[in-house]
Amino acid sequence: MQSMAYSIVNPIEDGLIEAVAVEDWIDGVNVEGDSIVFDVMPNEVPEARSSRFIVTYTYGEGSTVRTIRKEINIIQDAGIAYDYEFEMSYFSGGYYGTEFSLNGEHQYYTWISDMPFVDGKSQFGGTYYLFDIYGPAPRDEETLLPPAGTYLLGDATDEMTFAKGSSVAVRLEEDVEGPAWYAPFTEGRIDISYEEGEMIVEARLTDKNGQLHHVTFAGPAVYTYEVYEDEGPGTLSRSIDLVPVSVTAEYKNKKDNTMEVWMEFSDIDMEENGEMFYPGIIMALEVYMPLDKSGYIAAGEYRVSSDMADLTVFPGECYAEILYGSYIQEIISDEEYGYNVGNIAEGTMTVSGGFGDYTIDCRFVTTEGYDVSCSYSGSLTVEGVPDNISTLEGDYTLNLEGAVGSVSYYGDYYGTGGGNWLISFSPAAGGDAFNTEIVAEGLDFAAGIPTGTYRASEVTYEVCPGEYLRGYAVGNAGYYGGTMLSGKFDGEGNAQAVAPAVSGDLNITNNGDGTYDFSFAFMDDCGNTWDGHWTGALQMTDYSGAPSAAPRR
C-alpha cells in the first residue's frame, strides 16, 4: 500500500475529493483522510514506468457546481534485472509423504527443466531446477499435487517452504568436467497455482553468488508416490587413511578479513563427463583462513573449532540427514550410493609451502573416536575469490545535503525475529547516495525504525536484529545490494565511486516526530573509511502485509 498526502487551500464544506489512475498497474485507489492510498503491482521489467494520477475536487451544488482537476505523474523504478531467466517445458515430481519431515509436513520433490530426464538421468546441455517443497496434504490422491500458494526458502522442513540444503539449480555440458554450474540458493520464493488442469510454477531465487534467477513452468504435472526404504547414511565405523587423487578449494564467504573455504579431498576417480567411479572416500572441510585475493592458502596449523576464526576447521554435524561443517564420507556402493559418515570433532590440519604449491597434512578424530589421516602435496588455489567492489582511492565523507530518504518495510523477512527495513537516500544535485538494509528489534511499522547502533551482519545473506546487511555485488552486471555508497556522479547520473560496508557502525535515532538522525562510519573491502550523516523525515512504505506489492530486490 502506497500513500500520497494532499491538502486543499480554503476548503468548501461538503467538497468531494476523488482520484483515479490511468494505468492498470495501479489499483485500489481510495481517499482516506488527507491521503490518497493505492496499491502498486510489482514492475517485472528492467525499465522504469509511469502513470498519470487524475485528482478532482468538486464543490458547490446546482448551477454553482465547480470541479478542479489536477494531474500528477507517478514513476515506478525499474524492476529486477535477472541474471538467469528460464521458461521450462518439462516437469518431474516425487511425493514422499511425511516420511522425511520434522513435524508431519508433506514433501514434494519437484524438478522443472528445459530438457527431460532420460532413464532417470539428466542430459548434457540441460538446465535443471530442483525444489524440495514441504506443505500441507496433496490436493488430490491421484496427482498428489501440492496446494497452491507461496513457498519460501527455509532451513528445515517447515510448512510452505522449500529446503535450502536440498534445492539447487544445475546445468550439464559435454565439454565441462562436472556441472557447468551448480547453484544452491540463499533466498527465494516459489508461487504455485493451477489453471485449466495445468500446474503453474514461478520461482524467484538468489543463488550463493548473489545472482538472480527467474524460472517458470506451466503444464500438466503428476507426482509419483515414492516408497523410500533407505535408512539414510550409516555411521563410519573404522579409521581412515586417505590418499587423495583430487583436491579442490572453493571460496564460500567472508567476514572482515577472514574467508570461508570449502575443501574436498577424494580418492575417487572421475570420468570426463563428471561421473565418479565409486566406491571411495571424500573428506569435506569447512575451513577459515585470512582473505587472500590471489586464492593462496595461509600456511600454519589449523585446529578444529566452531569459532570461525582464522586457521580453524569447523566441526561436522548432521541435521535432518543433511551434512554440515567438516566430515568424512565413505561411499560403499556404486549402485545403491550407500555411504557412512564420520563427523570431524577434533584434530589439526597443517599447511606448509605457499604461492599455490603446498603440503597439507590432516590428523583428525571423528565424533565416534576414529582416526582420519590425509596427506597431499601439490598445486592448489582457492577458486572463486571475488575481486574488491570498492572504487574508492582513500577515505571519503558523503555529501547527503538535500538527499531524499525513503524506507520500505518487509516485516520478519529473514525469519530472525526482527523487522526488516530497506533504507535509501537519493542524492541531490552534486551529492551522494547511500543505501542500507537493517533488521531491528520489534515488528511495529507504525512505531518507525527503532533507535540503535547497527553493526555488520555475521552472515552475508542473513541479518539478525541489531545488524545491517554488508554490501555485496549482484553477479557481474554492476548491481549491488546491502549497505553501499554511490557517489561522485557524472553528468548522466552514473556513480563514479561505489563502496560496500563490510564493518563499522550505523547509528539511527528516531526523534519520535517522524524525523530521524543517521550517522555512520564504515570500512570498505579495501580498508578505506567512508562516513556521513543525514537528518530529516523519511518516506515510509509498509510491504509486510502484501509481499507481492513490490519487487524485493
Side-chain angles (χ1 to χ4, degrees), residues 106-119:
H106 293 254
Q107 182 183 13
Y108 306 86
Y109 216 59
T110 306
W111 289 92
I112 56 175
S113 57
D114 58 5
M115 295 182 69
F117 288 94
V118 177
D119 296 328

Side-chain angles (χ1 to χ4, degrees), residues 33 78 109 124 139 185 188 193 205 244 405 492 507 522 534 542:
Y109 216 59
F124 291 122
R139 287 163 52 94
F185 308 121
S193 59
L205 312 153
E492 297 181 354
N507 299 296
F522 299 121
W534 182 90
D542 182 5

Side-chain angles (χ1 to χ4, degrees), residues 236-438:
L236 185 71
S237 58
R238 68 183 182 95
S239 294
I240 298 291
D241 184 9
L242 174 60
V243 180
V245 297
S246 68
V247 181
T248 60
E250 181 183 356
Y251 172 91
K252 289 295 184 183
N253 204 343
K254 79 178 182 73
K255 182 178 184 298
D256 298 330
N257 288 314
T258 297
M259 65 178 176
E260 175 191 343
V261 177
W262 184 253
M263 301 181 70
E264 283 195 358
F265 301 76
S266 173
D267 65 1
I268 302 173
D269 290 322
M270 182 180 293
E271 292 182 338
E272 290 184 0
N273 63 4
E275 292 190 13
M276 292 183 173
F277 291 104
Y278 302 114
I281 303 294
I282 297 174
M283 182 173 70
L285 304 179
E286 182 179 319
V287 182
Y288 293 83
M289 64 185 68
L291 176 66
D292 189 296
K293 292 293 183 179
S294 299
Y296 293 142
I297 297 171
E301 184 177 89
Y302 294 69
R303 58 185 175 83
V304 176
S305 171
S306 59
D307 60 12
M308 294 184 286
D310 283 340
L311 304 188
T312 61
V313 177
F314 199 88
E317 59 179 331
C318 183
Y319 176 71
E321 298 185 6
I322 299 172
L323 302 174
Y324 297 93
S326 303
Y327 53 87
I328 189 85
Q329 191 175 36
E330 179 188 28
I331 300 174
I332 302 169
S333 167
D334 185 10
E335 293 183 359
E336 299 296 331
Y337 196 69
Y339 59 94
N340 296 322
V341 172
N343 290 313
I344 291 172
E346 57 183 88
T348 60
M349 178 180 77
T350 303
V351 178
S352 59
F355 302 103
D357 192 12
Y358 304 96
T359 295
I360 301 175
D361 185 67
C362 299
R363 294 290 183 269
F364 297 121
V365 179
T366 69
T367 304
E368 289 73 28
Y370 293 102
D371 294 327
V372 175
S373 60
C374 176
S375 296
Y376 168 79
S377 293
S379 60
L380 184 65
T381 54
V382 180
E383 300 295 329
V385 180
D387 293 331
N388 289 333
I389 301 173
S390 177
T391 61
L392 292 178
E393 297 179 353
D395 295 345
Y396 188 77
T397 297
L398 278 70
N399 174 13
L400 295 177
E401 177 132 11
V404 176
S406 60
V407 177
S408 296
Y409 176 68
Y410 287 89
D412 189 9
Y413 178 78
Y414 288 97
T416 55
N420 177 222
W421 306 81
L422 272 65
I423 308 166
S424 63
F425 296 94
S426 302
D432 299 311
F434 164 50
N435 296 284
T436 188
E437 178 175 348
I438 69 168

